[in-house]
Amino acid sequence: MARKISMKQAVNEALDQAMAADPTVICMGEDIVGGAGGNGEMDAWGGVLGVTKGLYAKHPKQMMDTPLSESAYIGAAIGAAACGMRPVAELMFIDFMGVCFDQIFNQAAKFKYMFGGKAETPVVIRCMVGAGFRAAAQHSQMLTPLFAHIPGLKVVCPSNAYDTKGLLIQSIRDNDPVIFCEHKNLYAHECEVPEASYTIPFGEANIVREGKHCTIVTYGLMVHRSLDAAAVLAKEGVEVEIVDLRTLSPLDMDTVLESVTKTGRLVCVDEASPRCNIATDISAQVCMHAFGALKAQIEMVTPPHTPVPFSPVLEDMYIPSAAQIATAVRKTIKGSK
Amino acid sequence: MARKISMKQAVNEALDQAMAADPTVICMGEDIVGGAGGNGEMDAWGGVLGVTKGLYAKHPKQMMDTPLSESAYIGAAIGAAACGMRPVAELMFIDFMGVCFDQIFNQAAKFKYMFGGKAETPVVIRCMVGAGFRAAAQHSQMLTPLFAHIPGLKVVCPSNAYDTKGLLIQSIRDNDPVIFCEHKNLYAHECEVPEASYTIPFGEANIVREGKHCTIVTYGLMVHRSLDAAAVLAKEGVEVEIVDLRTLSPLDMDTVLESVTKTGRLVCVDEASPRCNIATDISAQVCMHAFGALKAQIEMVTPPHTPVPFSPVLEDMYIPSAAQIATAVRKTIKGSK
Amino acid sequence: MQVQNPFPLSRDELLTVYRQMRTIREFEERLHIDFGRGDIPGFVHLYAGEEATAAGIMHHLNDGDRIASTHRGHGHCIAKGVDVVGMMKEIYGKKGGSCNGKGGSMHIADLSRGMMGANGILGAGGPLICGAALAAKYRNKGEVGICFFGDGASNQGTILESMNLAGVWNLPVIFVVENNGYAESTSRDYGTAVDSYVDRAAGFGLPGVTVDGTDFFAVHEAAGAVIKRAREGGGPSLLECKMVRYFGHFEGDAQTYRAPGELDDIRANHNCLKILGDQLTAAGIISQSELTKIDEEVMVLIEHSVKEAKAAPFPTLADLTTDVYINY
Amino acid sequence: MQVQNPFPLSRDELLTVYRQMRTIREFEERLHIDFGRGDIPGFVHLYAGEEATAAGIMHHLNDGDRIASTHRGHGHCIAKGVDVVGMMKEIYGKKGGSCNGKGGSMHIADLSRGMMGANGILGAGGPLICGAALAAKYRNKGEVGICFFGDGASNQGTILESMNLAGVWNLPVIFVVENNGYAESTSRDYGTAVDSYVDRAAGFGLPGVTVDGTDFFAVHEAAGAVIKRAREGGGPSLLECKMVRYFGHFEGDAQTYRAPGELDDIRANHNCLKILGDQLTAAGIISQSELTKIDEEVMVLIEHSVKEAKAAPFPTLADLTTDVYINY
Ligand SMILES: Cc1ncc(C[n+]2csc(CCOP(=O)(O)OP(=O)(O)O)c2C)c(N)n1
Ligand SMILES: Cc1ncc(C[n+]2csc(CCOP(=O)(O)OP(=O)(O)O)c2C)c(N)n1
Ligand SMILES: [Mg+2]
Ligand SMILES: [Mg+2]
């Protein structure tokens, strides 16, 4: 498996293989094909950043452009899922969830429970997340905690191309509604990815670096910032263990607790706003279930409690940095009971 | 101040006094007057549970019924706020946020920041929260964490009539957007409330019971469940201190940290779903900022990670009980480093 | 002497329709009484008075056709073939109810009958039914989707977006406005800025038609045409059914927003069941005694359903945390 | 010899309008170049080609009149009187920008000029402008609100709900559809199920009118009528302006979805600035050299704004956490 592809290509390949394998898999979204109704090229866009480019040519019946009506088409994906299809709907930016959240959290997420178990809603909602694109306050949010909060939803946020492909295929095969979060600043990131179709199970975190002095729990882009911090810390003799959650719901607390039991220290890194986020979630669960193992306070590294600023200099300060993560690790290492 | 009124009356009185004091205060919502356009009585409803009944007669120009279009009228309240009014919009149940969340979290919450400080949006969004009304999965949610997560919003959730009146008047006078959460199962709850207008500042938690063995941090209906638990525990010789947060954003962490420093133990009680909620938020912050003071693990008491069930017997099991809270306190008291 | 049947339905079908409408009526009248007694928890929105619309539309449908219902869903459920005893158990919050007690009145669903759920969120059925219709298009068996919504909900963005989406994708969907003149206590004329739903439909390129929703045959005919059109690939349309609601918005509503005498007039002159009964007996193809016999049988069924519901066990702690995910 | 002015604007006003449109054009052409050079961060949506609409409408407005803009907001800003240097600084992410660098191209606002913000969320301006118009109604000074949105955004629930709300509350709002034929790469005809926005408006009880949005005088006249109506309490209406977009959806878009030759035709035959210039010179009231002089002055202004923007300091860490709340 020497072939390297980008996370963007991994998404494309996963969709391609899933559609080829199962005709009930259909993709829908704004300009995911492009050029509809016009006199120029069809497949003119392949999504706003070209992620789905080329899929229309291969699966013309399974690729649908939509009007600019997220409530209607995300809801339609959900309704179709309840009627035997396996739709993959693209919500271009997760920031747009505010115009269609009801369909996701009150409908898709609750059907099975409200209907006494007699419903399946195998829908996937793909969306771009995260800051660093100079896209300002309404196109740069993480918002994963809002979805992880909701019982009935599954939430996935991969950090690399390999996980992306395996988790996206799993999301499509999964019978529950899945929010699949793609970090726009990781699309170009490459790694080795098998050509054949494969899945990665939900609820299995990945230890991307082993270490014994402190555990970092994180996901998405922050995995890479944490790796950078770990490299700096290693030079200081501090060996950090990094847990990449991969799926935020379900959550692999076993791996987290095991790691913290080993290292005795924890830093939670989250690109989401600080209040009620994934970092507080992990911290709280560790403090409840592995308090005895903790040698010092748990540190959290998050952006400040502000919207995402536009100006590149401000945005760079907004996003948690490797330096901030390293500082947090040093702090908990200095801390004690 | 011997007069006792219910929380429902407290809301009504606060709105009444605020409208009387300031003609830019306007209320809007579905059937908050009632009978509009018909040939029967005007003011026929006063809101779905009669909370605003009678206000139309006193302030006919400041009370507006709306079409069933939450995005449009909640957004209109926000737009009017940006243009010099002080609207109080009612989102009947917080569960309906999914059809209008964009206006709240991408517009109202972000104007000031996105516009470089040059905007004020003094809007209040009142909504009913919480379970126990046999209203099932789409009319019983707490959802406070979803709003507390968002920078730019303030979130209030009072536990009694006195706080309700003072905090609602403060919300209306406040220059930032406020989500004002009224627990529907507390509407009938009575306490002494001054007749004159008064305000309670944001970010000041209330110690509703003093104690030295363990701190409970909570809000809304759970304050009362916690008090019940405390009464039981007191008989066992366990003196619990209960912190009623009152405002969830801003958060009075000083009071929380002080209390935990005194008692050394913490139980966070939240009626919201367990993942990324207010309980995890408080736990995590305490574990970061007062770890040294902790004598044992922090316990959290929340509903299970499920939608709210309809059946009364299930719903009663769903909502955290005094017994569950007492058990959590006993657990942390037995716990140690 | 053989009487000529002037109706587009056979005698048996007519009896079935009458029975269905009577079942809805008795179901609701009984809930009204039992709610008043404090037997029934939660919010309950009754469909009584509106039966002809549910029956007139659903007569054209099979289990493969999907409907998205509203908060006022009992009538849709019964007309779509959902089991009445299961429904009653559900409303009582019991095990063995349509949703095992987890959903209640506002969330009764039976996907096996094509009933995609009552819904506590106004307008939420619009997008969902577009999805059902899209799936039908892929299956290509001529199935359709029906989206019910009230005059109030007609102003929800979800419904409006869905009309456009259905047009863009040429989906086999019928948007049925159940116009009972009120949204809660607010008059339709206050909340909806346009007089005619046919104009509203035209704003999305959809053909629209308005009928008297208390006249079973009027609804049946109009629905038949738009459903046929949709089955044949002709695309979406809108059907406005003008109707009356007998009880309050929900149980407990004193209806003071109605004009004096309004309710009496409704019950006396706009009783869709009486209208149908009169049509059938006047045509001479069904006798009053046959109808009375059905009425009695329905009473027995409803009484039975209440007994069953009361006797059924409540769900238990073990049920609280199941059915959230298929696996987690 | 005194030439008769055949236009409804004075000579001075006409010069101002031309200058405004030229300013928008040069602002956008310059951003196009500078974006290509890598000088400008983020998503940038250019208004070039659509100037006559912004200018034709805004000529009727004062600072007390509010507008809600879109992601493609530069033209609205300039026509509403927002400072061009402040805008350029903002787009460069600099201190002293309209939003102190915190908003960027998609969020330029200036409430003091009645500009309620460009908006990154399609359709979000609909509800907001209803609120502005409601506030205007309370102030009772005849102020109006204008909601701009694209043909694509015309299918957002927020816009649709807002049309109904404006009708119900009889608000002084004009809904302006900027129909440039495309939403991103998708043709208007694919995404919008109705042919005419006048029909769409009628679906909400609103009068509607369609004009050639590249003809300043056509826009000016139509806008004048609906704005006057709104000021006088006549309520909301819809104005569709048919127009063309010169550049891609955003900078970086290769526009392969256009038919071959389409862009050439647009620039040659649908250039609203050239159309206006020709109308003015043909009428003989303004000479080509006067226009050229304005063109040159505008070039100087834009060059100046870019210099200022490049020279301005970036915000600092202290700015990161201010302006979230008024107090917290
Ligand atoms: C999004 C949303 N907003 C508000 C409500 C509260 N609500 C429930 S029913 C109702 C009135 C509905 O009126 P209409 O659509 O005419 O249906 P009807 O009750 O007359 O059958 C309202 C406002 C809701 N359930 N969902
Ligand atoms: C709610 C929402 N959905 C999608 C987008 C992404 N988006 C930005 S502009 C655009 C196309 C808008 O087309 P139109 O309304 O015609 O305006 P134009 O760009 O042609 O001026 C899209 C889909 C968005 N910003 N907001
Ligand atoms: Mg109604
Ligand atoms: Mg367009």
Side-chain angles (χ1 to χ4, degrees):
Chain A
M1 67 172 227
R3 183 192 67 145
K4 282 194 171 188
I5 62 172
S6 70
M7 187 159 133
K8 192 161 156 174
Q9 288 168 297
V11 172
N12 189 292
E13 194 166 284
L15 294 173
D16 186 12
Q17 293 177 352
M19 283 190 283
D22 181 351
T24 68
V25 176
I26 53 173
C27 297
M28 54 179 83
E30 293 165 3
D31 299 86
I32 62 163
V33 177
N39 298 312
E41 274 179 28
M42 259 316 259
D43 207 5
W45 266 37
V48 75
L49 297 185
V51 175
T52 49
K53 183 90 181 163
L55 293 176
Y56 177 74
K58 296 189 206 168
H59 314 280
K61 289 198 183 144
Q62 287 158 276
M63 292 288 297
M64 304 183 67
D65 275 340
T66 67
L68 308 191
S69 316
E70 286 82 2
S71 263
Y73 78 78
I74 300 276
I78 292 163
C83 296
M85 308 293 289
R86 293 193 168 273
V88 182
E90 178 175 300
L91 178 64
M92 199 183 284
F93 293 85
I94 199 170
D95 313 65
F96 303 165
M97 54 85 76
V99 299
C100 59
F101 194 41
D102 184 74
Q103 293 289 327
I104 300 170
F105 98 100
N106 269 333
Q107 311 297 330
K110 297 186 172 51
F111 280 168
K112 187 167 172 61
Y113 195 80
M114 288 193 304
F115 300 166
K118 298 173 199 157
E120 302 202 355
T121 316
V123 67
V124 180
I125 296 167
R126 291 179 47 236
C127 49
M128 280 190 272
V129 298
F133 222 73
R134 287 66 176 105
Q138 295 173 338
H139 286 70
S140 307
Q141 297 167 88
M142 180 50 71
L143 300 184
T144 40
L146 304 188
F147 295 91
H149 179 68
I150 304 295
L153 296 181
K154 292 177 175 174
V155 184
V156 181
C157 189
S159 68
N160 61 62
Y162 175 84
D163 288 354
T164 296
K165 180 171 171 183
L167 288 167
L168 182 49
I169 294 177
Q170 174 56 35
S171 299
I172 296 169
R173 292 199 195 157
D174 201 271
N175 289 320
D176 292 308
V178 178
I179 312 298
F180 193 87
C181 302
E182 302 168 12
H183 202 298
K184 50 178 106 61
N185 276 304
L186 286 175
Y187 272 146
H189 191 269
E190 297 193 349
C191 71
E192 291 185 354
V193 177
E195 295 192 24
S197 179
Y198 60 97
T199 60
I200 297 174
F202 288 174
E204 294 196 6
N206 191 17
I207 298 187
V208 294
R209 179 185 172 117
E210 296 198 10
K212 58 185 177 211
H213 298 123
C214 178
T215 300
I216 295 180
V217 176
T218 188
Y219 63 97
L221 180 70
M222 290 299 114
V223 170
H224 303 275
R225 294 280 162 99
S226 299
L227 283 165
D228 293 346
V232 171
L233 290 163
K235 291 189 195 139
E236 302 169 14
V238 175
E239 289 302 331
V240 156
E241 177 147 307
I242 301 177
V243 178
D244 177 354
L245 291 171
R246 300 203 286 199
T247 66
L248 307 178
S249 179
L251 201 59
D252 182 0
M253 277 309 292
D254 291 347
T255 297
V256 171
L257 293 172
E258 213 170 283
S259 177
V260 173
T261 304
K262 183 174 80 174
T263 64
R265 304 185 194 263
L266 174 62
V267 173
C268 296
V269 184
D270 194 353
E271 196 188 317
S273 288
R275 299 288 318 282
C276 305
N277 67 0
I278 306 292
T280 69
D281 195 74
I282 303 288
S283 296
Q285 291 195 52
V286 168
C287 194
M288 182 158 162
H289 298 299
F291 182 76
L294 286 176
K295 295 182 194 148
Q297 82 279 7
I298 299 174
E299 293 286 332
M300 294 186 286
V301 184
T302 71
H305 184 64
T306 76
V308 183
F310 164 65
S311 183
V313 294
L314 289 181
E315 192 181 32
D316 289 344
M317 296 178 214
Y318 171 90
I319 305 168
S321 65
Q324 284 171 297
I325 297 168
T327 302
V329 170
R330 290 186 202 108
K331 252 181 155 173
T332 186
I333 292 221
K334 272 201 210 113
S336 65
K337 294 221 177 185
Chain B
M1 69 171 227
R3 183 191 67 145
K4 281 193 170 187
I5 62 172
S6 69
M7 186 159 134
K8 192 160 156 174
Q9 287 168 296
V11 172
N12 189 292
E13 194 167 282
L15 294 173
D16 185 12
Q17 294 177 352
M19 283 191 283
D22 181 350
T24 67
V25 175
I26 53 173
C27 296
M28 55 179 82
E30 295 165 3
D31 299 86
I32 62 163
V33 178
N39 298 312
E41 276 180 27
M42 260 315 259
D43 208 6
W45 268 36
V48 76
L49 297 184
V51 175
T52 49
K53 182 91 181 163
L55 294 176
Y56 177 74
K58 296 189 204 166
H59 314 281
K61 289 199 181 143
Q62 287 158 275
M63 293 289 295
M64 306 183 66
D65 275 340
T66 67
L68 308 191
S69 315
E70 287 81 4
S71 263
Y73 79 79
I74 299 275
I78 292 162
C83 296
M85 307 294 288
R86 292 193 170 275
V88 182
E90 177 175 301
L91 178 64
M92 199 182 285
F93 293 85
I94 199 170
D95 313 65
F96 303 164
M97 54 84 76
V99 299
C100 60
F101 194 40
D102 184 74
Q103 293 290 326
I104 300 171
F105 98 100
N106 269 333
Q107 312 298 329
K110 296 186 172 51
F111 280 168
K112 187 166 172 60
Y113 194 81
M114 287 193 304
F115 300 166
K118 298 173 200 159
E120 302 201 355
T121 315
V123 68
V124 180
I125 296 166
R126 291 179 48 235
C127 48
M128 280 190 271
V129 299
F133 221 74
R134 287 65 175 105
Q138 295 173 338
H139 287 70
S140 307
Q141 297 167 88
M142 179 48 70
L143 300 184
T144 41
L146 303 188
F147 294 90
H149 179 68
I150 304 295
L153 296 181
K154 293 177 175 173
V155 183
V156 181
C157 190
S159 69
N160 61 61
Y162 175 84
D163 288 354
T164 295
K165 180 171 171 184
L167 288 167
L168 182 48
I169 294 178
Q170 174 56 36
S171 298
I172 295 170
R173 293 200 194 155
D174 201 271
N175 289 320
D176 292 308
V178 178
I179 312 299
F180 193 87
C181 303
E182 303 168 12
H183 202 297
K184 51 176 106 60
N185 276 304
L186 286 175
Y187 272 144
H189 191 268
E190 297 193 348
C191 71
E192 291 185 353
V193 176
E195 295 192 24
S197 179
Y198 61 97
T199 60
I200 297 175
F202 288 174
E204 295 196 5
N206 191 18
I207 298 188
V208 295
R209 178 185 172 116
E210 296 198 11
K212 58 184 178 215
H213 298 123
C214 177
T215 300
I216 295 179
V217 176
T218 188
Y219 63 97
L221 179 72
M222 290 298 114
V223 170
H224 302 276
R225 295 280 162 98
S226 299
L227 283 165
D228 293 348
V232 171
L233 290 163
K235 293 187 195 139
E236 302 169 13
V238 175
E239 288 303 332
V240 157
E241 177 147 307
I242 301 177
V243 178
D244 176 356
L245 291 170
R246 300 203 286 200
T247 66
L248 307 178
S249 179
L251 201 58
D252 182 0
M253 277 310 293
D254 291 347
T255 297
V256 171
L257 293 172
E258 214 171 282
S259 176
V260 173
T261 304
K262 185 174 81 174
T263 65
R265 305 187 193 263
L266 174 62
V267 173
C268 296
V269 184
D270 194 352
E271 195 187 318
S273 286
R275 298 288 319 281
C276 306
N277 67 0
I278 306 291
T280 69
D281 194 74
I282 303 286
S283 296
Q285 293 195 51
V286 168
C287 194
M288 182 159 161
H289 298 299
F291 182 76
L294 285 175
K295 294 183 194 147
Q297 83 279 7
I298 300 174
E299 293 286 331
M300 294 186 287
V301 184
T302 70
H305 184 65
T306 77
V308 183
F310 163 66
S311 184
V313 293
L314 289 180
E315 192 181 32
D316 290 343
M317 296 177 213
Y318 172 89
I319 305 169
S321 65
Q324 283 171 298
I325 297 168
T327 302
V329 170
R330 290 185 201 107
K331 252 183 157 171
T332 185
I333 293 220
K334 271 200 210 113
S336 66
K337 293 222 180 187
Chain C
M1 195 194 85
Q2 186 77 26
V3 182
Q4 194 69 34
N5 178 351
F7 302 114
L9 283 74
S10 73
R11 199 172 172 288
D12 277 359
E13 286 176 319
L14 290 168
L15 289 170
T16 304
V17 162
Y18 179 84
R19 180 185 299 273
Q20 193 176 74
M21 285 172 58
R22 174 61 68 193
T23 305
I24 299 173
R25 178 68 55 89
E26 285 308 325
F27 193 89
E28 302 296 60
E29 296 272 5
R30 179 62 185 260
L31 282 179
H32 178 70
I33 294 168
D34 290 357
F35 187 95
R37 287 207 190 103
D39 288 352
I40 296 174
F43 288 116
V44 177
H45 307 81
L46 301 180
Y47 196 76
E50 311 185 345
E51 295 86 350
T53 291
I57 292 166
M58 250 64 92
H59 188 259
H60 298 284
L61 305 184
N62 307 308
D63 286 350
D65 299 312
R66 296 331 202 277
I67 69 165
S69 175
T70 67
H71 56 290
R72 199 177 299 289
H74 304 167
H76 306 140
C77 289
I78 293 173
K80 195 71 173 71
V82 181
D83 175 55
V84 168
V85 178
M87 287 177 60
M88 194 61 90
K89 284 187 187 166
E90 188 58 36
I91 292 167
Y92 274 80
K94 296 299 184 71
K95 228 178 155 103
S98 315
C99 310
N100 251 319
K102 285 179 172 170
S105 166
M106 257 192 295
H107 305 295
I108 300 179
D110 186 346
L111 295 170
S112 71
R113 309 314 299 261
M115 163 63 192
M116 292 183 72
N119 211 309
I121 304 297
L122 292 177
L128 299 173
I129 207 68
C130 284
L134 181 66
K137 254 186 113 160
Y138 274 96
R139 266 192 305 273
N140 200 19
K141 291 186 193 162
E143 297 155 349
V144 300
I146 314 280
C147 175
F148 291 96
F149 56 103
D151 48 292
S154 72
N155 301 306
Q156 277 287 332
T158 39
I159 290 293
L160 301 166
E161 286 191 0
S162 297
M163 288 200 234
N164 187 65
L165 182 68
V168 166
W169 283 349
N170 194 41
L171 297 174
V173 171
I174 321 299
F175 293 92
V176 176
V177 191
E178 297 192 312
N179 179 2
N180 59 12
Y182 293 93
E184 295 190 347
S185 74
T186 301
S187 161
R188 188 219 83 95
D189 297 338
Y190 176 84
T192 307
V194 70
D195 290 331
S196 153
Y197 285 102
V198 174
D199 291 343
R200 176 66 62 86
F204 297 94
L206 268 52
V209 54
T210 298
V211 293
D212 177 355
T214 64
D215 179 346
F216 169 82
F217 293 109
V219 174
H220 182 267
E221 185 181 345
V226 291
I227 289 169
K228 180 163 181 289
R229 187 169 176 275
R231 288 201 198 287
E232 292 170 353
S237 38
L238 177 144
L239 175 62
E240 179 197 3
C241 299
K242 293 199 170 177
M243 45 162 61
V244 294
R245 127 161 100 64
Y246 269 33
F247 294 112
H249 167 67
F250 47 30
E251 288 311 279
D253 170 13
Q255 305 200 64
T256 59
Y257 46 85
R258 289 198 189 264
E262 187 175 323
L263 260 184
D264 295 336
D265 174 60
I266 281 175
R267 289 193 171 237
N269 304 316
H270 302 279
N271 179 346
C272 63
L273 253 171
K274 184 168 178 312
I275 293 171
L276 176 64
D278 289 350
Q279 287 166 329
L280 299 182
T281 50
I285 60 158
I286 292 171
S287 68
Q288 184 55 52
S289 65
E290 282 175 295
L291 298 183
T292 307
K293 185 161 160 281
I294 292 178
D295 293 352
E296 285 162 6
E297 286 168 10
V298 167
M299 290 289 270
V300 171
L301 170 66
I302 300 300
E303 179 60 34
H304 167 73
S305 75
V306 173
K307 275 221 180 87
E308 289 277 307
K310 288 190 173 166
F314 277 109
T316 62
L317 185 58
D319 297 306
L320 180 61
T321 49
T322 56
D323 299 330
V324 183
Y325 296 93
I326 288 161
N327 54 15
Y328 194 62
Chain D
M1 195 194 84
Q2 187 77 26
V3 181
Q4 194 69 34
N5 179 352
F7 302 114
L9 284 75
S10 74
R11 199 174 172 285
D12 276 0
E13 286 178 318
L14 290 168
L15 288 170
T16 304
V17 163
Y18 179 83
R19 181 185 298 273
Q20 194 176 74
M21 284 171 58
R22 174 61 69 193
T23 305
I24 300 173
R25 177 69 53 91
E26 284 308 325
F27 193 88
E28 302 295 60
E29 296 271 5
R30 179 62 185 259
L31 282 179
H32 179 70
I33 293 167
D34 289 358
F35 187 95
R37 285 207 191 102
D39 288 351
I40 296 175
F43 289 116
V44 178
H45 307 81
L46 302 180
Y47 196 75
E50 310 186 345
E51 296 86 350
T53 291
I57 291 166
M58 249 65 92
H59 187 261
H60 298 285
L61 305 185
N62 306 308
D63 286 351
D65 299 312
R66 299 326 204 277
I67 69 165
S69 174
T70 68
H71 57 289
R72 198 177 301 289
H74 304 166
H76 305 141
C77 289
I78 293 174
K80 195 73 174 67
V82 180
D83 175 55
V84 168
V85 178
M87 286 177 61
M88 194 60 91
K89 284 187 187 166
E90 187 58 35
I91 292 167
Y92 274 80
K94 295 299 184 74
K95 227 177 155 104
S98 315
C99 310
N100 251 319
K102 286 179 172 170
S105 166
M106 256 191 294
H107 305 296
I108 301 179
D110 186 347
L111 294 171
S112 71
R113 310 313 301 259
M115 163 64 193
M116 293 183 70
N119 212 309
I121 303 297
L122 292 176
L128 299 172
I129 207 69
C130 284
L134 181 66
K137 255 187 112 161
Y138 274 95
R139 267 192 305 274
N140 200 20
K141 291 186 192 160
E143 297 155 351
V144 300
I146 313 281
C147 175
F148 291 96
F149 56 101
D151 48 292
S154 73
N155 300 308
Q156 277 287 332
T158 40
I159 291 293
L160 302 166
E161 286 191 1
S162 297
M163 288 200 234
N164 186 65
L165 182 67
V168 166
W169 283 349
N170 194 41
L171 297 174
V173 171
I174 320 299
F175 293 92
V176 177
V177 191
E178 297 192 313
N179 179 1
N180 59 13
Y182 293 93
E184 295 190 347
S185 76
T186 301
S187 160
R188 189 218 82 94
D189 298 337
Y190 176 83
T192 308
V194 70
D195 290 332
S196 152
Y197 284 103
V198 175
D199 291 342
R200 175 66 61 87
F204 297 95
L206 268 52
V209 53
T210 297
V211 294
D212 177 354
T214 64
D215 179 345
F216 169 82
F217 293 109
V219 175
H220 182 267
E221 185 181 345
V226 290
I227 289 170
K228 181 164 181 288
R229 186 170 176 274
R231 288 202 198 287
E232 292 170 354
S237 38
L238 177 144
L239 175 63
E240 177 196 6
C241 299
K242 293 200 169 175
M243 44 162 62
V244 294
R245 129 160 98 65
Y246 269 33
F247 294 112
H249 167 67
F250 47 30
E251 289 311 279
D253 170 14
Q255 304 199 65
T256 58
Y257 46 85
R258 290 197 189 265
E262 186 175 324
L263 259 184
D264 295 335
D265 174 60
I266 281 174
R267 289 193 169 236
N269 304 317
H270 302 279
N271 178 347
C272 62
L273 253 170
K274 185 169 178 312
I275 293 171
L276 177 65
D278 289 351
Q279 287 166 327
L280 299 182
T281 51
I285 60 158
I286 292 172
S287 67
Q288 183 55 53
S289 65
E290 281 175 294
L291 297 183
T292 307
K293 187 161 159 281
I294 292 178
D295 293 352
E296 285 163 5
E297 287 167 8
V298 166
M299 290 289 271
V300 171
L301 171 66
I302 299 300
E303 179 61 34
H304 167 72
S305 74
V306 173
K307 275 222 179 87
E308 289 277 307
K310 288 190 174 167
F314 277 109
T316 62
L317 185 57
D319 297 305
L320 179 61
T321 49
T322 56
D323 300 330
V324 182
Y325 296 93
I326 288 161
N327 54 14
Y328 194 64

